[in-house]
Every structure is written in C-alpha cells, then in structure tokens.
Amino acid sequence: MPDKSILIVEDEFLVGLYIQSTLKDAGFAVTAPAVSVKEALHHIAEEGFDAAVLDINLGEETSEEIAVKLSDLKIPFVFVTGYEHVNLSPQFAGSPLLEKPIEGNQLVDTIHSLCS
C-alpha cells in the first residue's frame, strides 16, 4: 500500500524507530516520530496523513487530544501502550489498541486495515 502516509506519535526513541522502520519496510510513507502532543498537532496541521499510530502515554501527556483532532478530520488511528490497564475516554473505547512490545506484522496488518 505505497504512498499511504502514516503519523507516528511515540516518545520512546527506540520504539518510535522500530515503528518507523517497520512501516517503511512495508511501503508506507512515514516521518520521524512526533514525541509530544504539540509536535503531533503541528504535523497534522502541516501535512496530510492517511492513518496514525498513537502511543497513549507521552511522558506527562496523553495522546487523547491528538485522537480527538484525528477523529474530527476522519483520519483513522491505532493506540499503542505498554500498560496493562488503559484509561481512555469512552469515545475511544472501541479504537484499535496494540500492546507493547508491538509485533511488526500485527502493526502492518492493523495499518493496512485502517487505510482500506
């Protein structure tokens, strides 16, 4: 699925690199991972994306504000987390969620389904 552009929001450097590399190898267009809400919202305002991968916890922040913006723009996304219990707003209860460590093929399959 070449030419599909994916926003990555991940504050853990190595995890972000892994997601970026995995999606590039699968033929997706990705930029360097955004590490904060502010940076992600800037990318959304400046660039177009077909889907996004959102780490739920970004240090002191969460990615829910980003998810709201993406939902408003009708851009699909998947949440990722390293935590067993996740506190998301009810509006995101049915959103796709992958647990860390992320399996590459599961991530690629999820992004393919979001983009179809």
Side-chain angles (χ1 to χ4, degrees):
M1 198 171 272
D3 300 323
K4 294 292 183 180
S5 181
I6 311 301
L7 171 67
I8 301 168
V9 182
E10 172 60 65
D11 64 334
E12 293 180 37
F13 179 74
L14 292 178
V15 175
L17 240 77
Y18 171 75
I19 293 170
Q20 181 183 28
S21 173
T22 299
L23 293 178
K24 273 187 176 180
D25 288 350
F28 293 99
V30 295
T31 57
V35 298
S36 69
V37 171
K38 181 180 178 181
E39 186 180 354
L41 293 176
H42 174 77
H43 282 299
I44 292 167
E46 298 294 318
E47 306 168 43
F49 294 98
D50 296 295
V53 178
L54 306 178
D55 183 10
I56 294 173
N57 294 300
L58 302 169
E60 303 271 322
E61 305 175 295
T62 71
S63 60
E64 282 202 47
E65 183 179 350
I66 303 162
V68 168
K69 181 67 172 174
L70 292 171
S71 295
D72 290 347
L73 295 170
K74 301 197 179 348
I75 298 171
F77 56 87
V78 57
F79 285 117
V80 296
T81 186
Y83 297 97
E84 192 172 320
H85 299 288
V86 179
N87 261 346
L88 288 173
S89 298
Q91 76 187 86
F92 299 119
S95 298
L97 174 69
L98 298 176
E99 291 184 16
K100 295 177 187 177
I102 301 167
E103 295 289 332
N105 58 351
Q106 186 181 24
L107 174 64
V108 170
D109 289 348
T110 300
I111 296 299
H112 276 296
S113 73
L114 290 177
C115 290
S116 60

